[in-house]
Structures are given as structure tokens and as C-alpha cells.
PDB file of all heavy atoms in Angstrom:
ATOM      1  N   PRO A 292      -1.815  -8.766 -13.549  1.00  0.00           N
ATOM      2  CA  PRO A 292      -3.084  -8.098 -13.188  1.00  0.00           C
ATOM      3  C   PRO A 292      -3.282  -7.955 -11.686  1.00  0.00           C
ATOM      4  O   PRO A 292      -3.728  -6.900 -11.223  1.00  0.00           O
ATOM      5  CB  PRO A 292      -4.144  -9.021 -13.802  1.00  0.00           C
ATOM      6  CG  PRO A 292      -3.456  -9.686 -14.937  1.00  0.00           C
ATOM      7  CD  PRO A 292      -2.023  -9.879 -14.499  1.00  0.00           C
ATOM      8  N   GLU A 293      -2.957  -9.018 -10.904  1.00  0.00           N
ATOM      9  CA  GLU A 293      -3.194  -8.930  -9.464  1.00  0.00           C
ATOM     10  C   GLU A 293      -2.301  -7.877  -8.815  1.00  0.00           C
ATOM     11  O   GLU A 293      -2.686  -7.230  -7.835  1.00  0.00           O
ATOM     12  CB  GLU A 293      -2.991 -10.288  -8.784  1.00  0.00           C
ATOM     13  CG  GLU A 293      -1.631 -10.913  -8.949  1.00  0.00           C
ATOM     14  CD  GLU A 293      -1.555 -11.855 -10.150  1.00  0.00           C
ATOM     15  OE1 GLU A 293      -2.310 -11.627 -11.123  1.00  0.00           O
ATOM     16  OE2 GLU A 293      -0.747 -12.799 -10.108  1.00  0.00           O
ATOM     17  N   VAL A 294      -1.086  -7.683  -9.360  1.00  0.00           N
ATOM     18  CA  VAL A 294      -0.188  -6.658  -8.827  1.00  0.00           C
ATOM     19  C   VAL A 294      -0.695  -5.268  -9.206  1.00  0.00           C
ATOM     20  O   VAL A 294      -0.751  -4.350  -8.366  1.00  0.00           O
ATOM     21  CB  VAL A 294       1.250  -6.868  -9.340  1.00  0.00           C
ATOM     22  CG1 VAL A 294       2.157  -5.724  -8.882  1.00  0.00           C
ATOM     23  CG2 VAL A 294       1.793  -8.205  -8.873  1.00  0.00           C
ATOM     24  N   ALA A 295      -1.060  -5.096 -10.462  1.00  0.00           N
ATOM     25  CA  ALA A 295      -1.567  -3.799 -10.925  1.00  0.00           C
ATOM     26  C   ALA A 295      -2.818  -3.399 -10.146  1.00  0.00           C
ATOM     27  O   ALA A 295      -2.965  -2.235  -9.728  1.00  0.00           O
ATOM     28  CB  ALA A 295      -1.857  -3.862 -12.424  1.00  0.00           C
ATOM     29  N   ASN A 296      -3.731  -4.343  -9.944  1.00  0.00           N
ATOM     30  CA  ASN A 296      -4.962  -4.039  -9.211  1.00  0.00           C
ATOM     31  C   ASN A 296      -4.655  -3.670  -7.758  1.00  0.00           C
ATOM     32  O   ASN A 296      -5.273  -2.770  -7.174  1.00  0.00           O
ATOM     33  CB  ASN A 296      -5.903  -5.239  -9.239  1.00  0.00           C
ATOM     34  CG  ASN A 296      -6.451  -5.511 -10.626  1.00  0.00           C
ATOM     35  OD1 ASN A 296      -6.514  -4.598 -11.461  1.00  0.00           O
ATOM     36  ND2 ASN A 296      -6.837  -6.758 -10.886  1.00  0.00           N
ATOM     37  N   SER A 297      -3.697  -4.375  -7.152  1.00  0.00           N
ATOM     38  CA  SER A 297      -3.337  -4.093  -5.773  1.00  0.00           C
ATOM     39  C   SER A 297      -2.702  -2.702  -5.636  1.00  0.00           C
ATOM     40  O   SER A 297      -3.008  -1.943  -4.706  1.00  0.00           O
ATOM     41  CB  SER A 297      -2.374  -5.163  -5.248  1.00  0.00           C
ATOM     42  OG  SER A 297      -1.974  -4.875  -3.926  1.00  0.00           O
ATOM     43  N   TRP A 298      -1.805  -2.335  -6.568  1.00  0.00           N
ATOM     44  CA  TRP A 298      -1.190  -0.998  -6.529  1.00  0.00           C
ATOM     45  C   TRP A 298      -2.266   0.083  -6.606  1.00  0.00           C
ATOM     46  O   TRP A 298      -2.192   1.085  -5.892  1.00  0.00           O
ATOM     47  CB  TRP A 298      -0.213  -0.838  -7.690  1.00  0.00           C
ATOM     48  CG  TRP A 298       1.107  -1.530  -7.463  1.00  0.00           C
ATOM     49  CD1 TRP A 298       1.439  -2.354  -6.447  1.00  0.00           C
ATOM     50  CD2 TRP A 298       2.261  -1.434  -8.311  1.00  0.00           C
ATOM     51  NE1 TRP A 298       2.722  -2.807  -6.575  1.00  0.00           N
ATOM     52  CE2 TRP A 298       3.272  -2.252  -7.719  1.00  0.00           C
ATOM     53  CE3 TRP A 298       2.564  -0.771  -9.507  1.00  0.00           C
ATOM     54  CZ2 TRP A 298       4.537  -2.395  -8.286  1.00  0.00           C
ATOM     55  CZ3 TRP A 298       3.829  -0.915 -10.058  1.00  0.00           C
ATOM     56  CH2 TRP A 298       4.812  -1.717  -9.462  1.00  0.00           C
ATOM     57  N   GLN A 299      -3.241  -0.150  -7.456  1.00  0.00           N
ATOM     58  CA  GLN A 299      -4.309   0.847  -7.607  1.00  0.00           C
ATOM     59  C   GLN A 299      -5.105   0.982  -6.312  1.00  0.00           C
ATOM     60  O   GLN A 299      -5.468   2.086  -5.903  1.00  0.00           O
ATOM     61  CB  GLN A 299      -5.231   0.441  -8.767  1.00  0.00           C
ATOM     62  CG  GLN A 299      -6.196   1.548  -9.189  1.00  0.00           C
ATOM     63  CD  GLN A 299      -5.483   2.781  -9.713  1.00  0.00           C
ATOM     64  OE1 GLN A 299      -4.689   2.723 -10.658  1.00  0.00           O
ATOM     65  NE2 GLN A 299      -5.730   3.941  -9.087  1.00  0.00           N
ATOM     66  N   ARG A 300      -5.342  -0.154  -5.622  1.00  0.00           N
ATOM     67  CA  ARG A 300      -6.059  -0.093  -4.349  1.00  0.00           C
ATOM     68  C   ARG A 300      -5.235   0.672  -3.312  1.00  0.00           C
ATOM     69  O   ARG A 300      -5.776   1.445  -2.513  1.00  0.00           O
ATOM     70  CB  ARG A 300      -6.350  -1.512  -3.840  1.00  0.00           C
ATOM     71  CG  ARG A 300      -7.423  -2.235  -4.618  1.00  0.00           C
ATOM     72  CD  ARG A 300      -7.903  -3.509  -3.889  1.00  0.00           C
ATOM     73  NE  ARG A 300      -6.835  -4.502  -3.712  1.00  0.00           N
ATOM     74  CZ  ARG A 300      -6.568  -5.476  -4.577  1.00  0.00           C
ATOM     75  NH1 ARG A 300      -7.271  -5.557  -5.717  1.00  0.00           N
ATOM     76  NH2 ARG A 300      -5.600  -6.349  -4.341  1.00  0.00           N
ATOM     77  N   CYS A 301      -3.925   0.422  -3.314  1.00  0.00           N
ATOM     78  CA  CYS A 301      -3.049   1.109  -2.360  1.00  0.00           C
ATOM     79  C   CYS A 301      -3.069   2.626  -2.601  1.00  0.00           C
ATOM     80  O   CYS A 301      -3.096   3.420  -1.639  1.00  0.00           O
ATOM     81  CB  CYS A 301      -1.617   0.594  -2.481  1.00  0.00           C
ATOM     82  SG  CYS A 301      -1.435  -1.133  -1.994  1.00  0.00           S
ATOM     83  N   ARG A 302      -3.050   3.044  -3.846  1.00  0.00           N
ATOM     84  CA  ARG A 302      -3.094   4.474  -4.167  1.00  0.00           C
ATOM     85  C   ARG A 302      -4.417   5.058  -3.669  1.00  0.00           C
ATOM     86  O   ARG A 302      -4.449   6.156  -3.096  1.00  0.00           O
ATOM     87  CB  ARG A 302      -2.914   4.666  -5.681  1.00  0.00           C
ATOM     88  CG  ARG A 302      -3.127   6.094  -6.192  1.00  0.00           C
ATOM     89  CD  ARG A 302      -2.163   7.093  -5.542  1.00  0.00           C
ATOM     90  NE  ARG A 302      -0.769   6.754  -5.762  1.00  0.00           N
ATOM     91  CZ  ARG A 302      -0.066   7.113  -6.843  1.00  0.00           C
ATOM     92  NH1 ARG A 302      -0.640   7.829  -7.783  1.00  0.00           N
ATOM     93  NH2 ARG A 302       1.202   6.765  -6.946  1.00  0.00           N
ATOM     94  N   ASN A 303      -5.520   4.336  -3.865  1.00  0.00           N
ATOM     95  CA  ASN A 303      -6.838   4.819  -3.433  1.00  0.00           C
ATOM     96  C   ASN A 303      -6.917   4.931  -1.911  1.00  0.00           C
ATOM     97  O   ASN A 303      -7.679   5.742  -1.374  1.00  0.00           O
ATOM     98  CB  ASN A 303      -7.939   3.894  -3.934  1.00  0.00           C
ATOM     99  CG  ASN A 303      -8.057   3.903  -5.450  1.00  0.00           C
ATOM    100  OD1 ASN A 303      -7.624   4.872  -6.118  1.00  0.00           O
ATOM    101  ND2 ASN A 303      -8.637   2.850  -6.016  1.00  0.00           N
ATOM    102  N   LEU A 304      -6.118   4.101  -1.198  1.00  0.00           N
ATOM    103  CA  LEU A 304      -6.120   4.128   0.265  1.00  0.00           C
ATOM    104  C   LEU A 304      -5.100   5.122   0.817  1.00  0.00           C
ATOM    105  O   LEU A 304      -4.950   5.238   2.046  1.00  0.00           O
ATOM    106  CB  LEU A 304      -5.803   2.715   0.809  1.00  0.00           C
ATOM    107  CG  LEU A 304      -6.897   1.658   0.598  1.00  0.00           C
ATOM    108  CD1 LEU A 304      -6.356   0.270   0.929  1.00  0.00           C
ATOM    109  CD2 LEU A 304      -8.102   1.963   1.470  1.00  0.00           C
ATOM    110  N   ASN A 305      -4.390   5.819  -0.069  1.00  0.00           N
ATOM    111  CA  ASN A 305      -3.388   6.818   0.328  1.00  0.00           C
ATOM    112  C   ASN A 305      -2.287   6.211   1.198  1.00  0.00           C
ATOM    113  O   ASN A 305      -1.829   6.813   2.178  1.00  0.00           O
ATOM    114  CB  ASN A 305      -4.052   7.987   1.070  1.00  0.00           C
ATOM    115  CG  ASN A 305      -4.971   8.789   0.165  1.00  0.00           C
ATOM    116  OD1 ASN A 305      -4.637   9.040  -1.001  1.00  0.00           O
ATOM    117  ND2 ASN A 305      -6.117   9.171   0.703  1.00  0.00           N
ATOM    118  N   ILE A 306      -1.867   4.990   0.870  1.00  0.00           N
ATOM    119  CA  ILE A 306      -0.772   4.358   1.603  1.00  0.00           C
ATOM    120  C   ILE A 306       0.545   4.977   1.157  1.00  0.00           C
ATOM    121  O   ILE A 306       0.821   5.106  -0.036  1.00  0.00           O
ATOM    122  CB  ILE A 306      -0.771   2.832   1.351  1.00  0.00           C
ATOM    123  CG1 ILE A 306      -2.051   2.198   1.921  1.00  0.00           C
ATOM    124  CG2 ILE A 306       0.461   2.177   1.964  1.00  0.00           C
ATOM    125  CD1 ILE A 306      -2.194   0.728   1.628  1.00  0.00           C
ATOM    126  N   ASN A 307       1.370   5.362   2.146  1.00  0.00           N
ATOM    127  CA  ASN A 307       2.671   5.965   1.842  1.00  0.00           C
ATOM    128  C   ASN A 307       3.646   4.860   1.444  1.00  0.00           C
ATOM    129  O   ASN A 307       3.963   3.981   2.237  1.00  0.00           O
ATOM    130  CB  ASN A 307       3.203   6.706   3.068  1.00  0.00           C
ATOM    131  CG  ASN A 307       4.414   7.546   2.745  1.00  0.00           C
ATOM    132  OD1 ASN A 307       5.244   7.195   1.902  1.00  0.00           O
ATOM    133  ND2 ASN A 307       4.546   8.670   3.440  1.00  0.00           N
ATOM    134  N   PRO A 308       4.154   4.864   0.199  1.00  0.00           N
ATOM    135  CA  PRO A 308       5.029   3.776  -0.268  1.00  0.00           C
ATOM    136  C   PRO A 308       6.438   3.817   0.300  1.00  0.00           C
ATOM    137  O   PRO A 308       7.210   2.878   0.104  1.00  0.00           O
ATOM    138  CB  PRO A 308       5.055   3.985  -1.780  1.00  0.00           C
ATOM    139  CG  PRO A 308       4.822   5.437  -1.968  1.00  0.00           C
ATOM    140  CD  PRO A 308       3.896   5.854  -0.859  1.00  0.00           C
ATOM    141  N   TYR A 309       6.762   4.882   1.045  1.00  0.00           N
ATOM    142  CA  TYR A 309       8.132   5.010   1.534  1.00  0.00           C
ATOM    143  C   TYR A 309       8.270   4.715   3.027  1.00  0.00           C
ATOM    144  O   TYR A 309       9.377   4.526   3.515  1.00  0.00           O
ATOM    145  CB  TYR A 309       8.643   6.428   1.249  1.00  0.00           C
ATOM    146  CG  TYR A 309       8.702   6.756  -0.218  1.00  0.00           C
ATOM    147  CD1 TYR A 309       7.722   7.558  -0.802  1.00  0.00           C
ATOM    148  CD2 TYR A 309       9.729   6.268  -1.025  1.00  0.00           C
ATOM    149  CE1 TYR A 309       7.760   7.864  -2.160  1.00  0.00           C
ATOM    150  CE2 TYR A 309       9.779   6.572  -2.379  1.00  0.00           C
ATOM    151  CZ  TYR A 309       8.793   7.358  -2.937  1.00  0.00           C
ATOM    152  OH  TYR A 309       8.843   7.655  -4.270  1.00  0.00           O
ATOM    153  N   LEU A 310       7.165   4.649   3.738  1.00  0.00           N
ATOM    154  CA  LEU A 310       7.229   4.499   5.183  1.00  0.00           C
ATOM    155  C   LEU A 310       6.853   3.082   5.621  1.00  0.00           C
ATOM    156  O   LEU A 310       6.132   2.345   4.918  1.00  0.00           O
ATOM    157  CB  LEU A 310       6.295   5.511   5.863  1.00  0.00           C
ATOM    158  CG  LEU A 310       6.636   6.984   5.674  1.00  0.00           C
ATOM    159  CD1 LEU A 310       5.621   7.853   6.398  1.00  0.00           C
ATOM    160  CD2 LEU A 310       8.047   7.269   6.200  1.00  0.00           C
ATOM    161  N   GLU A 311       7.315   2.703   6.813  1.00  0.00           N
ATOM    162  CA  GLU A 311       6.958   1.417   7.432  1.00  0.00           C
ATOM    163  C   GLU A 311       6.100   1.731   8.661  1.00  0.00           C
ATOM    164  O   GLU A 311       6.628   2.080   9.728  1.00  0.00           O
ATOM    165  CB  GLU A 311       8.210   0.650   7.854  1.00  0.00           C
ATOM    166  CG  GLU A 311       7.916  -0.668   8.560  1.00  0.00           C
ATOM    167  CD  GLU A 311       7.186  -1.649   7.665  1.00  0.00           C
ATOM    168  OE1 GLU A 311       7.552  -1.755   6.467  1.00  0.00           O
ATOM    169  OE2 GLU A 311       6.233  -2.298   8.140  1.00  0.00           O
ATOM    170  N   PRO A 312       4.779   1.649   8.563  1.00  0.00           N
ATOM    171  CA  PRO A 312       3.913   2.020   9.695  1.00  0.00           C
ATOM    172  C   PRO A 312       4.016   0.997  10.839  1.00  0.00           C
ATOM    173  O   PRO A 312       4.328  -0.174  10.635  1.00  0.00           O
ATOM    174  CB  PRO A 312       2.509   2.025   9.085  1.00  0.00           C
ATOM    175  CG  PRO A 312       2.601   1.062   7.941  1.00  0.00           C
ATOM    176  CD  PRO A 312       4.000   1.198   7.392  1.00  0.00           C
ATOM    177  N   GLU A 313       3.732   1.443  12.061  1.00  0.00           N
ATOM    178  CA  GLU A 313       3.717   0.564  13.237  1.00  0.00           C
ATOM    179  C   GLU A 313       2.351  -0.139  13.277  1.00  0.00           C
ATOM    180  O   GLU A 313       1.339   0.459  13.636  1.00  0.00           O
ATOM    181  CB  GLU A 313       3.938   1.389  14.511  1.00  0.00           C
ATOM    182  CG  GLU A 313       3.906   0.565  15.792  1.00  0.00           C
ATOM    183  CD  GLU A 313       5.029  -0.465  15.841  1.00  0.00           C
ATOM    184  OE1 GLU A 313       6.168  -0.139  15.436  1.00  0.00           O
ATOM    185  OE2 GLU A 313       4.756  -1.606  16.268  1.00  0.00           O
ATOM    186  N   THR A 314       2.349  -1.391  12.881  1.00  0.00           N
ATOM    187  CA  THR A 314       1.065  -2.112  12.749  1.00  0.00           C
ATOM    188  C   THR A 314       1.027  -3.377  13.597  1.00  0.00           C
ATOM    189  O   THR A 314       0.279  -4.297  13.318  1.00  0.00           O
ATOM    190  CB  THR A 314       0.832  -2.510  11.273  1.00  0.00           C
ATOM    191  OG1 THR A 314       1.929  -3.324  10.838  1.00  0.00           O
ATOM    192  CG2 THR A 314       0.709  -1.280  10.399  1.00  0.00           C
ATOM    193  N   ARG A 315       1.804  -3.419  14.639  1.00  0.00           N
ATOM    194  CA  ARG A 315       1.881  -4.625  15.464  1.00  0.00           C
ATOM    195  C   ARG A 315       0.957  -4.503  16.676  1.00  0.00           C
ATOM    196  O   ARG A 315       0.925  -3.453  17.329  1.00  0.00           O
ATOM    197  CB  ARG A 315       3.321  -4.830  15.926  1.00  0.00           C
ATOM    198  CG  ARG A 315       3.557  -6.128  16.672  1.00  0.00           C
ATOM    199  CD  ARG A 315       5.038  -6.252  17.001  1.00  0.00           C
ATOM    200  NE  ARG A 315       5.315  -7.474  17.733  1.00  0.00           N
ATOM    201  CZ  ARG A 315       6.524  -7.815  18.179  1.00  0.00           C
ATOM    202  NH1 ARG A 315       7.561  -6.999  17.935  1.00  0.00           N
ATOM    203  NH2 ARG A 315       6.707  -8.928  18.835  1.00  0.00           N
ATOM    204  N   VAL A 316       0.199  -5.578  16.965  1.00  0.00           N
ATOM    205  CA  VAL A 316      -0.710  -5.574  18.113  1.00  0.00           C
ATOM    206  C   VAL A 316       0.071  -5.940  19.370  1.00  0.00           C
ATOM    207  O   VAL A 316       1.160  -6.525  19.305  1.00  0.00           O
ATOM    208  CB  VAL A 316      -1.881  -6.565  17.914  1.00  0.00           C
ATOM    209  CG1 VAL A 316      -2.704  -6.169  16.705  1.00  0.00           C
ATOM    210  CG2 VAL A 316      -1.367  -7.993  17.776  1.00  0.00           C
TER     211      VAL A 316
END
């Protein structure tokens, strides 16, 4: 359930599943 719920949140946030974004401060 926690994985399924997280995937759904990621889809709602339009996160690209193929890319590695630059998120380092």
C-alpha cells in the first residue's frame, strides 16, 4: 500500500520517472 500510494502521488506531481533532476543544494 505505501508503494502504491507513493506512485500515485508521484503521478499527480508530474514527476518524470526516467530523469534524474539536479536537486543538490
Side-chain angles (χ1 to χ4, degrees):
E293 58 268 29
V294 175
N296 292 336
S297 178
W298 282 7
Q299 192 63 56
R300 288 193 298 269
C301 294
R302 172 59 58 86
N303 294 338
L304 290 169
N305 294 319
I306 295 175
N307 190 326
Y309 298 103
L310 296 180
E311 177 63 42
E313 179 63 41
T314 58
R315 186 177 179 182
V316 298

